[in-house]
Amino acid sequence: MSIGAAAELLRESANTVALTGAGFSTASGIPDFRSEGSGLWKIHDPMEVASLSAFRTQPQRFFEWIHPLTVQIFAAQPNPAHQALAQLESLGILQLIITQNIDGLHQRAGSRNVIEVHGSLERLTCVTCQSVYPAGDFLPTYLEQHSMPRCPECGGILKPNVILFEEQLPFEAWQRAQDAARNCEVMIIAGSSLEVMPVASLPMQALDAGAKLILINQNAIYLDPRADVILNMDVAEALPQITSVLQLKSYVTMPTTSVM
Ligand SMILES: [Zn+2]
């Protein structure tokens, strides 16, 4: 019934935005590096290795720490939840994805309108000369030899384009995300417990502007009382079900529109 209610809200909305977090990619085998459940937290406190100041003083430690996560991300495949959002976009039902994830799996599933508010592991920037490189050029050496990627131009250290602790969100991406939140009619929040600021403020901005919320999370979160539909399910189960309801409806109405 809630699946139907979610599908109905989406069908009526002219502007829908999805906000996705770490729970979206766990079905692809990628741990949430900020949560204690991931093995990464046991080795080091992420604040001690994944902050901007730590990167500047001890980049080698950062690259050692993020190595297992990098291996998992580049071996991962989009899961049915990623595919469902890509289908919703191609059906014209979903206008934009705002993601906290750095794994690039939305794009690999075929989604085109994606704002990566925490950046992406797909590119690297030289800390000395600011040149930007695709990660793929440096990945095999880093994954095999654990060596820090260096700028071919100046020899500076290449920093992945991910937002570290203590670092501001990319200005332009953050502005676009806020505009989208304030202008959407429906926001789907999927696989995010919304504990990380400032991204956690986006649903409140959407609500203040009159948007409706669909929450898809395994567990209850603090926004539940404000939601129009709550699905306490795995995103990889819920989103494909919603998508098939909507595909069925668009298929049923297709003959009418094609006559016109
Ligand atoms: Zn350089």
Side-chain angles (χ1 to χ4, degrees), residues 126 129 151 154:
C126 174
C129 76
C151 177
C154 76

Side-chain angles (χ1 to χ4, degrees), residues 5 9-10 14 41 45 66 79 88 91-92 99 118 134 144 151 156-157 169 188 197-199 202 229 252 256 259:
L9 274 187
L10 294 177
W41 190 282
D45 178 346
I66 206 170
N79 67 56
L88 289 178
L91 290 168
T99 187
H118 288 163
E144 285 162 26
C151 177
I157 294 162
L169 300 197
I188 306 168
M197 286 299 278
V199 175
L202 292 174
V229 177
V252 169
T256 324
V259 169

